[in-house]
Amino acid sequence: MPTSEKPIRVYRHALSGHCHRVELMLSLLAVPFEAVDTAFGPAGSRSPEGLARNAFGQLPVIEDGDLTLADSNAILVYLCRKHDPAGRWYPDDPATAGRIQRWLSVAARQLAEGPATARIGNLFNREIDVEKAHGIAHALFGIVDAELSARPFLAGDAPTIADVAHYSYTAHAPEGGVSLEPYPNIRAWLARIEALPGFVGMPRSAVGLAA
């Protein structure tokens, strides 16, 4: 497995929830890292250097010794496999691993297409289908809130990378005009994540319901 005496380098955008989930995981694991602020588009993530790191032109990307790895959920798995030998954040037992993968898939689809897209529209003045994004967000949050009524964290009784993958865009959903008031279990879950040792938040933006 690649090793390095240098801190992990994280190419990130400070307002990206995908990037924040990686920084949050690193902080929760107490792993030193160097954040490299990178713009989206041809001046950054899609520059020749950016495309050499990730051919999809997306952020985040990490460099850890000889390893370059993109995709935030893949990075979460890598960090836990390397820096969490006890398996607290990504347990080996099949049932929990399966539940985690379910939520990682939801993060890559419903979370991205709903709360994240709504927030992007407000934050970066993008043209989006607001009604569609809000509909996806509320459908997702209704399911999440119901499931969190039966357990404290998404995949079970302890926090895992499933919670890390969902925290950023859920906590910042009001920036996309999506209220969390109807979802008391989600709000209690957010508070539990924020109380974890090593928690670091993503910068708040005064847009949407957060304006």
Side-chain angles (χ1 to χ4, degrees):
M1 186 174 291
T3 60
S4 175
E5 295 180 357
K6 297 181 180 180
I8 294 173
R9 178 172 292 177
V10 181
Y11 294 89
R12 63 90 187 256
H13 190 291
L15 297 179
S16 163
H18 286 79
C19 296
H20 177 256
R21 66 177 61 146
V22 170
E23 295 181 71
L24 176 56
M25 189 78 262
L26 285 162
S27 185
L28 291 168
L29 292 170
V31 176
F33 68 96
E34 172 193 358
V36 181
D37 288 317
T38 306
F40 288 110
S45 63
R46 291 189 176 275
S47 68
E49 295 82 3
L51 291 172
R53 288 188 290 267
N54 179 7
F56 291 106
Q58 299 168 331
L59 297 171
V61 179
I62 66 167
E63 291 177 345
D64 188 18
D66 295 331
L67 174 74
T68 299
L69 183 64
D71 184 90
S72 60
N73 288 342
I75 294 169
L76 296 184
V77 171
Y78 169 77
L79 292 175
C80 289
R81 284 289 183 252
K82 183 171 182 181
H83 296 285
D84 180 28
R88 174 188 176 190
W89 292 97
Y90 192 33
D92 285 329
D93 74 273
T96 303
R99 288 194 293 267
I100 290 171
Q101 183 56 57
R102 175 203 180 205
W103 287 112
L104 294 182
S105 297
V106 171
R109 186 177 180 185
Q110 289 95 332
L111 188 71
E113 294 176 359
T117 294
R119 178 174 174 269
I120 286 170
N122 282 342
L123 197 57
F124 299 108
N125 295 315
R126 302 258 184 95
E127 287 192 17
I128 65 165
D129 186 333
V130 175
E131 184 176 356
K132 179 181 178 180
H134 282 198
I136 293 171
H138 285 296
L140 169 62
F141 287 164
I143 292 169
V144 173
D145 196 73
E147 296 205 13
L148 285 172
S149 69
R151 57 183 179 273
F153 296 99
L154 291 177
D157 292 331
T160 67
I161 61 173
D163 302 284
V164 175
H166 278 257
Y167 171 81
S168 308
Y169 286 123
T170 302
H172 289 257
E175 294 174 10
V178 179
S179 175
L180 296 176
E181 286 303 312
Y183 311 109
N185 296 315
I186 288 179
R187 288 186 277 110
W189 166 77
L190 292 173
R192 286 191 286 273
I193 300 298
E194 291 161 4
L196 293 171
F199 171 82
V200 290
M202 184 166 66
R204 300 280 174 179
S205 300
V207 295
L209 298 177

